Amino acid sequence: MLNRENLVNLALAILLIAVPLIANGLGQPFYITLATRVAILALAATGLNLALGLGGLVSFGHAAFFGLGGYVAGILAAHNFSGEPVIFGLGGTNQMWVIWVVSILVSGIVGLAIGAISLRTSGVYFIMITLAFAQMVYYFAISWPAYGGQDGLSILVRNQFPGISTMRPLSFFFVCYVILILGIGLFALIRASRFGAALQASRQNEVRVATVGIRPFRIRLTAFVISAMLTGIAGALFADLNRFVSPSMLSWQMSGELIVLIILGGTGRLFGPLAGAALYVVFEYALGGMTERWQFFLGLILLLVVLFARGGLIGLLAGKAKHG
């Protein structure tokens, strides 16, 4: 049954795919790139939304996973071009699906390590520990001259996907769009599952969850790792979009940006990250052309959302969430 929120979600999904199709017909590839950026940022925010929206885990460390995914794409592409092995005689690759698998593995392993330590704390301590880990990864990247250091790493030619010309803006958009929809689908499955119910219950009352035999730590750690994996894939796509990997992808500002996207769209909402990403990119493009201080106006909007529309854009359009 299509309720009000489902109709809003459907409209957002159709709008995101309609914009690049119209732009392609008008010969405006720039708008296709904007739509692709929206899709990638929405995917990264969907990953964080799993931890923040369902688990109540305010992580300022998700830039680490976003940047790691980007560096996986850049490093594997660089070694594929040079022909030098990456590690243990294994060479690089320019195949996106291989890069995504490696991004998932790397982000998942690092997410497991960070989560295993960070989740033993809560509140502001959790926020600060995740931030500290992300900054450790950031400073490691800028002090790693083999892969560009603070200057970043260029991807000379966008990585490939079988049967698709990824150098064409519209084709690459469709790749990102499909991955986004799969990511949102995974979020929906988790939210509707018993695991998702336990995760949300542990956010509301950890003691009650423990009394029925469920270990909140394991539930949260699993969610944190899955969250890291989704954000890692988004980072790999973002690197391919720009054909460049920068330490800025690992910075705390990136983590803050992902949280802003979720708040703008609606925390815990299925399409909240997409709504927030669209709003963010539109403001960045529209206001960025008028003033360098466009973030000031975005901050005002964020303040209004926090004070008067806690459900974000989805909440304003669809009303209160129906899930528990």
Side-chain angles (χ1 to χ4, degrees), residues 67-87 90-94 99 102-103 106 140-141 144 146-148 152-156 159 236 239-240 244-245 250:
L68 282 171
Y71 270 94
V72 165
I75 290 171
L76 290 179
H79 281 271
N80 178 73
F81 183 78
S82 67
E84 297 178 358
V86 181
I87 189 173
L90 297 174
T93 181
N94 63 351
I99 290 169
V102 178
S103 297
V106 171
F140 178 78
W144 200 4
Y147 297 112
L153 178 65
S154 295
I155 300 175
L156 299 178
N159 292 305
D240 263 322
F244 181 72
V245 186
L250 295 157

Side-chain angles (χ1 to χ4, degrees), residues 13-313:
I14 293 172
L15 182 62
L16 180 60
I17 203 170
V19 168
L21 287 173
I22 294 171
N24 187 63
L26 296 175
Q28 297 287 341
F30 173 73
Y31 294 102
I32 302 176
T33 301
L34 282 184
T36 307
R37 179 177 167 84
V38 169
I40 294 171
L41 290 177
L43 177 62
T46 297
L48 178 56
N49 199 29
L50 180 61
L52 174 59
L54 298 186
L57 303 173
V58 184
S59 169
F60 257 91
H62 267 57
F65 313 126
F66 190 71
L68 282 171
Y71 270 94
V72 165
I75 290 171
L76 290 179
H79 281 271
N80 178 73
F81 183 78
S82 67
E84 297 178 358
V86 181
I87 189 173
F88 301 132
L90 297 174
T93 181
N94 63 351
Q95 294 299 309
M96 284 186 178
W97 70 270
V98 177
I99 290 169
W100 297 341
V101 170
V102 178
S103 297
I104 288 172
L105 291 174
V106 171
S107 299
I109 292 170
V110 175
L112 180 63
I114 293 176
I117 298 173
S118 303
L119 288 168
R120 298 185 187 280
T121 64
S122 61
V124 68
Y125 300 104
F126 175 80
I127 295 172
M128 295 309 296
I129 289 179
T130 54
L131 174 61
F133 275 116
Q135 288 301 99
M136 286 168 60
V137 178
Y138 169 77
Y139 285 116
F140 178 78
I142 65 175
S143 61
W144 200 4
Y147 297 112
Q150 59 184 347
D151 295 325
L153 178 65
S154 295
I155 300 175
L156 299 178
V157 179
R158 184 173 290 156
N159 292 305
Q160 301 174 6
F161 190 85
I164 295 176
S165 176
T166 55
M167 288 301 295
R168 294 178 57 197
L170 188 62
S171 298
F172 183 63
F173 164 79
F174 279 119
V175 170
C176 298
Y177 183 83
V178 170
I179 299 297
L180 169 63
I181 296 302
L182 290 175
I184 292 175
L186 177 62
F187 180 93
L189 286 174
I190 291 174
R191 190 177 69 177
S193 68
R194 284 191 284 182
F195 171 81
L199 179 62
Q200 293 177 77
S202 66
R203 177 196 68 202
Q204 295 167 3
N205 195 315
E206 185 176 344
V207 176
R208 287 185 180 178
V209 171
T211 57
V212 297
I214 298 174
R215 297 185 179 180
F217 178 81
R218 290 186 178 181
I219 295 289
R220 288 173 173 172
L221 181 58
T222 302
F224 192 83
V225 172
I226 297 172
S227 172
M229 290 175 173
L230 276 177
T231 307
I233 296 177
L237 291 170
F238 195 74
D240 263 322
L241 172 65
N242 299 315
R243 283 186 279 172
F244 181 72
V245 186
S246 167
S248 63
M249 290 178 66
L250 295 157
S251 69
W252 66 269
Q253 290 96 331
M254 188 70 235
S255 294
E257 185 175 313
L258 295 179
I259 293 175
V260 167
L261 299 185
I262 294 173
I263 295 172
L264 285 175
T267 306
R269 300 293 186 124
L270 188 60
F271 275 69
L274 175 54
L279 200 62
Y280 183 90
V281 172
V282 166
F283 272 101
E284 182 182 36
Y285 170 67
L287 296 178
M290 294 185 289
T291 174
E292 294 180 356
R293 297 175 178 84
W294 64 273
Q295 285 127 331
F296 170 78
F297 299 99
L298 181 67
L300 289 178
I301 293 170
L302 182 63
L303 181 62
L304 292 174
V305 168
V306 171
L307 291 176
F308 304 109
R310 295 192 177 184
L313 181 60

